[in-house]
Amino acid sequence: LAAEQGLACAQCHLGLCYALGTGVAHDLAEAARYFSLAAEQGLASSQFWSGHMSECGNGAKRDQDEAVRMYRAAAAQGNVLALVQLGICLEKGRGVEQDGVEAAARYAEASAASAIGGDAARIFAHGAYHIERVDGQSEPSAPSSFYAQVGVRELGLAARLGHKGALKKLVTVSSRREVASVCCMGCGATRALMECAKCHVAKFCDRECQTGNWQAHKQSCRQWRPTDGG
């Protein structure tokens, strides 16, 4: 295989196959390994995915410092996903000293790059596709959980890049219990999640994500709240 021969693009593609359970058994540890191998060779897309795996603890030890290191490496090559995610880390002080000025600069850089390359539309399309792959079971399978978190993250990134349909799609997605229960509905993260205190279904990684996502979540929150007699 090209991946075993050290071809970075093949390693990244195989990592995605393992992460999504496409053509091979779902295996996040193998996915993280292949992303890391390609990232070490300087492939920006794999550096982003390696950062994502470290940030969410998918198949690798949860390590926010390593996630930021990978996001920075990919962002330095103009990777739009990494630029936005690095901006979020800087804005919230995750794995790096909080810096609103640099966060704004990374968001602006991402927006400029997206306007040239049409990345917002592409990221939105990918997010929508991943959400559609989530099964309808109340307790999603492992691949479905990964689809959910990646889909939410990509839709959120597309919204930050100004895609007009991304926020509307997030509102729709927020009403799906099998998505809202497995990842932060604000950013798609899976680390240190807390439940919504009202519905006990939707998950958020911090109060900022919960507050920012309230308009999308409030309708389903009312529907999922336990009855007084329950």
Side-chain angles (χ1 to χ4, degrees), residues 37-52:
L37 288 172
E40 289 173 3
Q41 297 188 62
L43 186 65
S45 55
S46 264
Q47 288 170 337
F48 167 77
W49 282 112
S50 188
H52 172 82

Side-chain angles (χ1 to χ4, degrees), residues 96-115:
V96 65
E97 185 175 349
Q98 193 169 23
D99 189 334
V101 174
E102 188 183 352
R106 298 293 78 76
Y107 290 144
E109 188 177 349
S111 294
S114 177

Side-chain angles (χ1 to χ4, degrees), residues 113-138:
S114 177
I116 295 171
D119 292 286
R122 176 178 56 81
I123 294 167
F124 170 79
H126 286 179
Y129 167 78
H130 289 138
I131 289 297
E132 291 307 312
R133 294 295 300 273
V134 178
D135 61 40
Q137 301 175 21
S138 58

Side-chain angles (χ1 to χ4, degrees), residues 136-150:
Q137 301 175 21
S138 58
E139 295 185 3
S141 62
S144 288
S145 295
F146 189 79
Y147 277 120
Q149 62 169 275
V150 172

Side-chain angles (χ1 to χ4, degrees), residues 4-95:
E4 298 299 338
Q5 293 173 2
L7 186 63
C9 289
Q11 290 171 335
C12 182
H13 181 73
L14 187 55
L16 285 171
C17 288
Y18 275 113
L20 301 173
T22 303
V24 292
H26 175 72
D27 189 331
L28 290 180
E30 277 295 275
R33 184 172 76 86
Y34 278 109
F35 287 144
S36 180
L37 288 172
E40 289 173 3
Q41 297 188 62
L43 186 65
S45 55
S46 264
Q47 288 170 337
F48 167 77
W49 282 112
S50 188
H52 172 82
M53 303 297 270
S54 293
E55 183 174 18
C56 294
N58 286 330
K61 181 181 178 181
R62 187 171 290 152
D63 187 337
Q64 189 66 46
D65 292 342
E66 174 64 10
V68 170
R69 188 178 77 84
M70 287 288 97
Y71 292 148
R72 282 196 183 279
Q77 298 185 62
N79 183 279
V80 173
L81 289 169
L83 282 165
V84 178
Q85 202 58 42
L86 177 58
I88 292 172
C89 291
L90 288 161
E91 183 181 350
K92 296 188 175 186
R94 292 178 177 169

Side-chain angles (χ1 to χ4, degrees), residues 6 15 47 68 92 138 147 160 167 171 193 206-207 219 226:
Q47 288 170 337
V68 170
K92 296 188 175 186
S138 58
Y147 277 120
R160 282 182 176 268
L167 185 57
V171 172
L193 298 179
D206 58 28
R207 188 167 298 280
Q219 183 174 349

